[in-house]
Amino acid sequence: AVAAGVFLMGMSKGGLRVGSICVPMMVLAWPDQENAARQVVAFMLPLLCVMDLVAVVFYRKDILWERIVPLLPGTVVGVAVASLLFLGNNPVLTLSDRWLKLGVGVIGLGFVAFQLGRHRLTSQEGGDCTPSKAASVGLGLAAGITSTVAHAAGPVAQMYFLPQNLRKMNLAATLIGFFWVLNLIKLLPFGLLGGLQVHNLSQAAVMLPLIPLGVGAGYVVVRLMKTTVYLGFIYVMLVLSSLTLIAKAF
């Protein structure tokens, strides 16, 4: 199940946005359920950095870097704040694994609700709804926090990029570019605060062969598949996995 999660995350980095179901699935399947969410986050970070690099190579010509820049100031602050809360040793500040599971589940359901409302609004208004500077900073902050806590910034990033009505390949590529930068930023606090442990790194190394396979498969599928088909699949799986995590948290 963990290997399947890594492969699906690779497909997500290849452009097929199924990443939202990967962390919940891996958390539910992780052997040590007492600290599953925390261990999965640390286990995945080095793998995500490798996936991002491979995906950037695939999509380098389609990334719109100018769309990413407004998110970065808030993102850096969000990573710093979440690192202190998530990785720190202060028992008052450090988030429990139960709260992490609940947070991932709520984020997933919230995104589905947001998407339903967004489609109703855009069907009436249409056009490019690029977020304001304040909204960009706020969404960047939220992306930094949710990504550091649970690698769950996908919903937040999509809330930023989807209203901009980018072409399919530009949307997939720009999301990939943003997460590449975000995960590189996260490496420093994870390393300084003990999130990158030898045990996790050795486990992650075993999964490395799955990365090019997953990224390549995602790249091919996103070029061939109709958007409505795979988005429907993502939403259904996201709702089911989010509800399961919320139930586990309680």
PDB file of all heavy atoms in Angstrom, residues 2-33:
ATOM      1  N   VAL A   2       1.965   1.235   0.745  1.00  0.00           N
ATOM      2  CA  VAL A   2       2.869   2.393   0.756  1.00  0.00           C
ATOM      3  C   VAL A   2       3.511   2.577  -0.615  1.00  0.00           C
ATOM      4  O   VAL A   2       3.617   3.701  -1.123  1.00  0.00           O
ATOM      5  CB  VAL A   2       3.946   2.218   1.849  1.00  0.00           C
ATOM      6  CG1 VAL A   2       4.984   3.328   1.756  1.00  0.00           C
ATOM      7  CG2 VAL A   2       3.299   2.229   3.231  1.00  0.00           C
ATOM      8  N   ALA A   3       3.909   1.476  -1.235  1.00  0.00           N
ATOM      9  CA  ALA A   3       4.488   1.559  -2.574  1.00  0.00           C
ATOM     10  C   ALA A   3       3.476   2.097  -3.580  1.00  0.00           C
ATOM     11  O   ALA A   3       3.817   2.911  -4.456  1.00  0.00           O
ATOM     12  CB  ALA A   3       4.988   0.177  -3.019  1.00  0.00           C
ATOM     13  N   ALA A   4       2.225   1.669  -3.450  1.00  0.00           N
ATOM     14  CA  ALA A   4       1.171   2.178  -4.327  1.00  0.00           C
ATOM     15  C   ALA A   4       0.990   3.677  -4.118  1.00  0.00           C
ATOM     16  O   ALA A   4       0.779   4.436  -5.080  1.00  0.00           O
ATOM     17  CB  ALA A   4      -0.136   1.440  -4.059  1.00  0.00           C
ATOM     18  N   GLY A   5       1.085   4.121  -2.865  1.00  0.00           N
ATOM     19  CA  GLY A   5       0.978   5.540  -2.575  1.00  0.00           C
ATOM     20  C   GLY A   5       2.099   6.334  -3.211  1.00  0.00           C
ATOM     21  O   GLY A   5       1.887   7.424  -3.750  1.00  0.00           O
ATOM     22  N   VAL A   6       3.324   5.787  -3.158  1.00  0.00           N
ATOM     23  CA  VAL A   6       4.470   6.464  -3.780  1.00  0.00           C
ATOM     24  C   VAL A   6       4.283   6.541  -5.294  1.00  0.00           C
ATOM     25  O   VAL A   6       4.550   7.574  -5.920  1.00  0.00           O
ATOM     26  CB  VAL A   6       5.779   5.726  -3.431  1.00  0.00           C
ATOM     27  CG1 VAL A   6       6.954   6.296  -4.226  1.00  0.00           C
ATOM     28  CG2 VAL A   6       6.057   5.840  -1.934  1.00  0.00           C
ATOM     29  N   PHE A   7       3.820   5.444  -5.887  1.00  0.00           N
ATOM     30  CA  PHE A   7       3.601   5.428  -7.344  1.00  0.00           C
ATOM     31  C   PHE A   7       2.538   6.448  -7.743  1.00  0.00           C
ATOM     32  O   PHE A   7       2.693   7.196  -8.708  1.00  0.00           O
ATOM     33  CB  PHE A   7       3.185   4.032  -7.790  1.00  0.00           C
ATOM     34  CG  PHE A   7       2.940   3.920  -9.280  1.00  0.00           C
ATOM     35  CD1 PHE A   7       4.006   3.792 -10.161  1.00  0.00           C
ATOM     36  CD2 PHE A   7       1.653   3.958  -9.793  1.00  0.00           C
ATOM     37  CE1 PHE A   7       3.787   3.700 -11.536  1.00  0.00           C
ATOM     38  CE2 PHE A   7       1.430   3.863 -11.147  1.00  0.00           C
ATOM     39  CZ  PHE A   7       2.492   3.735 -12.028  1.00  0.00           C
ATOM     40  N   LEU A   8       1.420   6.494  -6.990  1.00  0.00           N
ATOM     41  CA  LEU A   8       0.362   7.450  -7.291  1.00  0.00           C
ATOM     42  C   LEU A   8       0.831   8.884  -7.095  1.00  0.00           C
ATOM     43  O   LEU A   8       0.455   9.785  -7.852  1.00  0.00           O
ATOM     44  CB  LEU A   8      -0.861   7.171  -6.419  1.00  0.00           C
ATOM     45  CG  LEU A   8      -1.687   5.943  -6.790  1.00  0.00           C
ATOM     46  CD1 LEU A   8      -2.770   5.708  -5.750  1.00  0.00           C
ATOM     47  CD2 LEU A   8      -2.312   6.103  -8.179  1.00  0.00           C
ATOM     48  N   MET A   9       1.659   9.112  -6.071  1.00  0.00           N
ATOM     49  CA  MET A   9       2.206  10.449  -5.883  1.00  0.00           C
ATOM     50  C   MET A   9       3.101  10.828  -7.055  1.00  0.00           C
ATOM     51  O   MET A   9       3.129  11.980  -7.498  1.00  0.00           O
ATOM     52  CB  MET A   9       2.991  10.524  -4.573  1.00  0.00           C
ATOM     53  CG  MET A   9       3.494  11.925  -4.250  1.00  0.00           C
ATOM     54  SD  MET A   9       2.176  13.122  -3.950  1.00  0.00           S
ATOM     55  CE  MET A   9       1.782  12.762  -2.237  1.00  0.00           C
ATOM     56  N   GLY A  10       3.841   9.833  -7.586  1.00  0.00           N
ATOM     57  CA  GLY A  10       4.635  10.078  -8.787  1.00  0.00           C
ATOM     58  C   GLY A  10       3.752  10.456  -9.960  1.00  0.00           C
ATOM     59  O   GLY A  10       4.068  11.374 -10.727  1.00  0.00           O
ATOM     60  N   MET A  11       2.619   9.768 -10.101  1.00  0.00           N
ATOM     61  CA  MET A  11       1.676  10.119 -11.161  1.00  0.00           C
ATOM     62  C   MET A  11       1.132  11.528 -10.964  1.00  0.00           C
ATOM     63  O   MET A  11       0.943  12.287 -11.921  1.00  0.00           O
ATOM     64  CB  MET A  11       0.523   9.116 -11.207  1.00  0.00           C
ATOM     65  CG  MET A  11       0.916   7.727 -11.650  1.00  0.00           C
ATOM     66  SD  MET A  11      -0.521   6.649 -11.941  1.00  0.00           S
ATOM     67  CE  MET A  11      -1.214   7.379 -13.421  1.00  0.00           C
ATOM     68  N   SER A  12       0.894  11.903  -9.699  1.00  0.00           N
ATOM     69  CA  SER A  12       0.434  13.252  -9.412  1.00  0.00           C
ATOM     70  C   SER A  12       1.484  14.278  -9.829  1.00  0.00           C
ATOM     71  O   SER A  12       1.163  15.319 -10.413  1.00  0.00           O
ATOM     72  CB  SER A  12       0.136  13.394  -7.917  1.00  0.00           C
ATOM     73  OG  SER A  12      -0.294  14.695  -7.607  1.00  0.00           O
ATOM     74  N   LYS A  13       2.745  13.976  -9.540  1.00  0.00           N
ATOM     75  CA  LYS A  13       3.812  14.883  -9.947  1.00  0.00           C
ATOM     76  C   LYS A  13       3.972  14.896 -11.461  1.00  0.00           C
ATOM     77  O   LYS A  13       4.502  15.859 -12.029  1.00  0.00           O
ATOM     78  CB  LYS A  13       5.132  14.464  -9.295  1.00  0.00           C
ATOM     79  CG  LYS A  13       5.138  14.597  -7.781  1.00  0.00           C
ATOM     80  CD  LYS A  13       4.947  16.024  -7.340  1.00  0.00           C
ATOM     81  CE  LYS A  13       5.030  16.170  -5.839  1.00  0.00           C
ATOM     82  NZ  LYS A  13       4.837  17.570  -5.395  1.00  0.00           N
ATOM     83  N   GLY A  14       3.489  13.840 -12.120  1.00  0.00           N
ATOM     84  CA  GLY A  14       3.512  13.815 -13.572  1.00  0.00           C
ATOM     85  C   GLY A  14       2.344  14.556 -14.194  1.00  0.00           C
ATOM     86  O   GLY A  14       2.227  14.618 -15.418  1.00  0.00           O
ATOM     87  N   GLY A  15       1.467  15.131 -13.354  1.00  0.00           N
ATOM     88  CA  GLY A  15       0.378  15.948 -13.852  1.00  0.00           C
ATOM     89  C   GLY A  15      -1.004  15.419 -13.572  1.00  0.00           C
ATOM     90  O   GLY A  15      -1.979  16.152 -13.647  1.00  0.00           O
ATOM     91  N   LEU A  16      -1.128  14.120 -13.245  1.00  0.00           N
ATOM     92  CA  LEU A  16      -2.433  13.538 -12.920  1.00  0.00           C
ATOM     93  C   LEU A  16      -2.689  13.784 -11.440  1.00  0.00           C
ATOM     94  O   LEU A  16      -2.121  13.120 -10.591  1.00  0.00           O
ATOM     95  CB  LEU A  16      -2.436  12.035 -13.223  1.00  0.00           C
ATOM     96  CG  LEU A  16      -3.774  11.313 -13.042  1.00  0.00           C
ATOM     97  CD1 LEU A  16      -4.794  11.805 -14.056  1.00  0.00           C
ATOM     98  CD2 LEU A  16      -3.585   9.811 -13.180  1.00  0.00           C
ATOM     99  N   ARG A  17      -3.548  14.743 -11.105  1.00  0.00           N
ATOM    100  CA  ARG A  17      -3.646  15.247  -9.736  1.00  0.00           C
ATOM    101  C   ARG A  17      -4.365  14.286  -8.791  1.00  0.00           C
ATOM    102  O   ARG A  17      -5.491  14.512  -8.361  1.00  0.00           O
ATOM    103  CB  ARG A  17      -4.324  16.611  -9.728  1.00  0.00           C
ATOM    104  CG  ARG A  17      -3.738  17.642 -10.642  1.00  0.00           C
ATOM    105  CD  ARG A  17      -2.238  17.808 -10.520  1.00  0.00           C
ATOM    106  NE  ARG A  17      -1.815  18.155  -9.183  1.00  0.00           N
ATOM    107  CZ  ARG A  17      -0.551  18.279  -8.818  1.00  0.00           C
ATOM    108  NH1 ARG A  17       0.419  18.025  -9.678  1.00  0.00           N
ATOM    109  NH2 ARG A  17      -0.244  18.625  -7.598  1.00  0.00           N
ATOM    110  N   VAL A  18      -3.688  13.183  -8.486  1.00  0.00           N
ATOM    111  CA  VAL A  18      -4.215  12.226  -7.515  1.00  0.00           C
ATOM    112  C   VAL A  18      -3.431  12.282  -6.206  1.00  0.00           C
ATOM    113  O   VAL A  18      -3.592  11.420  -5.350  1.00  0.00           O
ATOM    114  CB  VAL A  18      -4.189  10.786  -8.079  1.00  0.00           C
ATOM    115  CG1 VAL A  18      -5.160  10.650  -9.225  1.00  0.00           C
ATOM    116  CG2 VAL A  18      -2.773  10.396  -8.515  1.00  0.00           C
ATOM    117  N   GLY A  19      -2.602  13.302  -6.043  1.00  0.00           N
ATOM    118  CA  GLY A  19      -1.762  13.395  -4.859  1.00  0.00           C
ATOM    119  C   GLY A  19      -2.553  13.507  -3.572  1.00  0.00           C
ATOM    120  O   GLY A  19      -2.096  13.077  -2.507  1.00  0.00           O
ATOM    121  N   SER A  20      -3.768  14.072  -3.647  1.00  0.00           N
ATOM    122  CA  SER A  20      -4.563  14.278  -2.441  1.00  0.00           C
ATOM    123  C   SER A  20      -4.957  12.960  -1.772  1.00  0.00           C
ATOM    124  O   SER A  20      -5.221  12.926  -0.561  1.00  0.00           O
ATOM    125  CB  SER A  20      -5.832  15.065  -2.776  1.00  0.00           C
ATOM    126  OG  SER A  20      -5.503  16.343  -3.270  1.00  0.00           O
ATOM    127  N   ILE A  21      -5.021  11.876  -2.531  1.00  0.00           N
ATOM    128  CA  ILE A  21      -5.421  10.595  -1.943  1.00  0.00           C
ATOM    129  C   ILE A  21      -4.221   9.800  -1.438  1.00  0.00           C
ATOM    130  O   ILE A  21      -4.395   8.818  -0.717  1.00  0.00           O
ATOM    131  CB  ILE A  21      -6.215   9.732  -2.946  1.00  0.00           C
ATOM    132  CG1 ILE A  21      -5.309   9.243  -4.072  1.00  0.00           C
ATOM    133  CG2 ILE A  21      -7.416  10.475  -3.490  1.00  0.00           C
ATOM    134  CD1 ILE A  21      -5.991   8.266  -5.011  1.00  0.00           C
ATOM    135  N   CYS A  22      -2.994  10.218  -1.788  1.00  0.00           N
ATOM    136  CA  CYS A  22      -1.817   9.402  -1.483  1.00  0.00           C
ATOM    137  C   CYS A  22      -1.463   9.426  -0.009  1.00  0.00           C
ATOM    138  O   CYS A  22      -1.270   8.374   0.611  1.00  0.00           O
ATOM    139  CB  CYS A  22      -0.625   9.877  -2.314  1.00  0.00           C
ATOM    140  SG  CYS A  22      -0.877   9.697  -4.085  1.00  0.00           S
ATOM    141  N   VAL A  23      -1.354  10.631   0.570  1.00  0.00           N
ATOM    142  CA  VAL A  23      -0.978  10.714   1.979  1.00  0.00           C
ATOM    143  C   VAL A  23      -2.028  10.060   2.874  1.00  0.00           C
ATOM    144  O   VAL A  23      -1.675   9.268   3.755  1.00  0.00           O
ATOM    145  CB  VAL A  23      -0.711  12.178   2.393  1.00  0.00           C
ATOM    146  CG1 VAL A  23      -0.521  12.277   3.908  1.00  0.00           C
ATOM    147  CG2 VAL A  23       0.528  12.705   1.676  1.00  0.00           C
ATOM    148  N   PRO A  24      -3.344  10.342   2.688  1.00  0.00           N
ATOM    149  CA  PRO A  24      -4.327   9.618   3.503  1.00  0.00           C
ATOM    150  C   PRO A  24      -4.225   8.100   3.367  1.00  0.00           C
ATOM    151  O   PRO A  24      -4.323   7.374   4.357  1.00  0.00           O
ATOM    152  CB  PRO A  24      -5.668  10.132   2.955  1.00  0.00           C
ATOM    153  CG  PRO A  24      -5.364  11.488   2.434  1.00  0.00           C
ATOM    154  CD  PRO A  24      -3.978  11.386   1.864  1.00  0.00           C
ATOM    155  N   MET A  25      -4.021   7.601   2.147  1.00  0.00           N
ATOM    156  CA  MET A  25      -3.916   6.168   1.937  1.00  0.00           C
ATOM    157  C   MET A  25      -2.701   5.591   2.659  1.00  0.00           C
ATOM    158  O   MET A  25      -2.780   4.537   3.307  1.00  0.00           O
ATOM    159  CB  MET A  25      -3.826   5.856   0.433  1.00  0.00           C
ATOM    160  CG  MET A  25      -3.737   4.372   0.125  1.00  0.00           C
ATOM    161  SD  MET A  25      -3.799   4.044  -1.650  1.00  0.00           S
ATOM    162  CE  MET A  25      -2.216   4.700  -2.170  1.00  0.00           C
ATOM    163  N   MET A  26      -1.566   6.299   2.586  1.00  0.00           N
ATOM    164  CA  MET A  26      -0.352   5.811   3.229  1.00  0.00           C
ATOM    165  C   MET A  26      -0.456   5.886   4.745  1.00  0.00           C
ATOM    166  O   MET A  26       0.038   5.008   5.458  1.00  0.00           O
ATOM    167  CB  MET A  26       0.848   6.603   2.721  1.00  0.00           C
ATOM    168  CG  MET A  26       1.144   6.355   1.243  1.00  0.00           C
ATOM    169  SD  MET A  26       2.442   7.435   0.599  1.00  0.00           S
ATOM    170  CE  MET A  26       3.855   6.787   1.469  1.00  0.00           C
ATOM    171  N   VAL A  27      -1.114   6.943   5.248  1.00  0.00           N
ATOM    172  CA  VAL A  27      -1.308   7.055   6.694  1.00  0.00           C
ATOM    173  C   VAL A  27      -2.140   5.887   7.207  1.00  0.00           C
ATOM    174  O   VAL A  27      -1.830   5.285   8.244  1.00  0.00           O
ATOM    175  CB  VAL A  27      -1.979   8.399   7.044  1.00  0.00           C
ATOM    176  CG1 VAL A  27      -2.429   8.408   8.497  1.00  0.00           C
ATOM    177  CG2 VAL A  27      -1.009   9.554   6.791  1.00  0.00           C
ATOM    178  N   LEU A  28      -3.191   5.539   6.476  1.00  0.00           N
ATOM    179  CA  LEU A  28      -4.065   4.443   6.899  1.00  0.00           C
ATOM    180  C   LEU A  28      -3.352   3.092   6.842  1.00  0.00           C
ATOM    181  O   LEU A  28      -3.691   2.171   7.593  1.00  0.00           O
ATOM    182  CB  LEU A  28      -5.314   4.402   6.018  1.00  0.00           C
ATOM    183  CG  LEU A  28      -6.260   5.604   6.161  1.00  0.00           C
ATOM    184  CD1 LEU A  28      -7.353   5.547   5.106  1.00  0.00           C
ATOM    185  CD2 LEU A  28      -6.865   5.647   7.551  1.00  0.00           C
ATOM    186  N   ALA A  29      -2.373   2.954   5.939  1.00  0.00           N
ATOM    187  CA  ALA A  29      -1.680   1.673   5.768  1.00  0.00           C
ATOM    188  C   ALA A  29      -0.376   1.574   6.553  1.00  0.00           C
ATOM    189  O   ALA A  29       0.224   0.506   6.624  1.00  0.00           O
ATOM    190  CB  ALA A  29      -1.385   1.448   4.279  1.00  0.00           C
ATOM    191  N   TRP A  30       0.076   2.669   7.161  1.00  0.00           N
ATOM    192  CA  TRP A  30       1.382   2.701   7.827  1.00  0.00           C
ATOM    193  C   TRP A  30       1.401   1.748   9.011  1.00  0.00           C
ATOM    194  O   TRP A  30       0.442   1.684   9.789  1.00  0.00           O
ATOM    195  CB  TRP A  30       1.690   4.124   8.280  1.00  0.00           C
ATOM    196  CG  TRP A  30       3.146   4.373   8.555  1.00  0.00           C
ATOM    197  CD1 TRP A  30       3.757   4.460   9.768  1.00  0.00           C
ATOM    198  CD2 TRP A  30       4.171   4.579   7.576  1.00  0.00           C
ATOM    199  NE1 TRP A  30       5.096   4.703   9.609  1.00  0.00           N
ATOM    200  CE2 TRP A  30       5.378   4.781   8.277  1.00  0.00           C
ATOM    201  CE3 TRP A  30       4.182   4.613   6.183  1.00  0.00           C
ATOM    202  CZ2 TRP A  30       6.587   5.013   7.623  1.00  0.00           C
ATOM    203  CZ3 TRP A  30       5.382   4.839   5.536  1.00  0.00           C
ATOM    204  CH2 TRP A  30       6.570   5.037   6.249  1.00  0.00           C
ATOM    205  N   PRO A  31       2.482   0.961   9.193  1.00  0.00           N
ATOM    206  CA  PRO A  31       2.527  -0.036  10.271  1.00  0.00           C
ATOM    207  C   PRO A  31       2.357   0.553  11.672  1.00  0.00           C
ATOM    208  O   PRO A  31       1.638   0.002  12.499  1.00  0.00           O
ATOM    209  CB  PRO A  31       3.921  -0.663  10.107  1.00  0.00           C
ATOM    210  CG  PRO A  31       4.254  -0.452   8.663  1.00  0.00           C
ATOM    211  CD  PRO A  31       3.658   0.870   8.298  1.00  0.00           C
ATOM    212  N   ASP A  32       3.034   1.670  11.948  1.00  0.00           N
ATOM    213  CA  ASP A  32       2.964   2.285  13.271  1.00  0.00           C
ATOM    214  C   ASP A  32       1.852   3.329  13.269  1.00  0.00           C
ATOM    215  O   ASP A  32       2.080   4.503  12.989  1.00  0.00           O
ATOM    216  CB  ASP A  32       4.308   2.931  13.617  1.00  0.00           C
ATOM    217  CG  ASP A  32       4.299   3.595  14.985  1.00  0.00           C
ATOM    218  OD1 ASP A  32       3.336   3.364  15.741  1.00  0.00           O
ATOM    219  OD2 ASP A  32       5.239   4.358  15.283  1.00  0.00           O
ATOM    220  N   GLN A  33       0.616   2.913  13.602  1.00  0.00           N
ATOM    221  CA  GLN A  33      -0.527   3.824  13.526  1.00  0.00           C
ATOM    222  C   GLN A  33      -0.496   4.917  14.583  1.00  0.00           C
ATOM    223  O   GLN A  33      -1.124   5.960  14.422  1.00  0.00           O
ATOM    224  CB  GLN A  33      -1.835   3.032  13.640  1.00  0.00           C
ATOM    225  CG  GLN A  33      -2.295   2.425  12.329  1.00  0.00           C
ATOM    226  CD  GLN A  33      -2.633   3.489  11.292  1.00  0.00           C
ATOM    227  OE1 GLN A  33      -3.515   4.326  11.489  1.00  0.00           O
ATOM    228  NE2 GLN A  33      -1.923   3.473  10.173  1.00  0.00           N
TER     229      GLN A  33
END
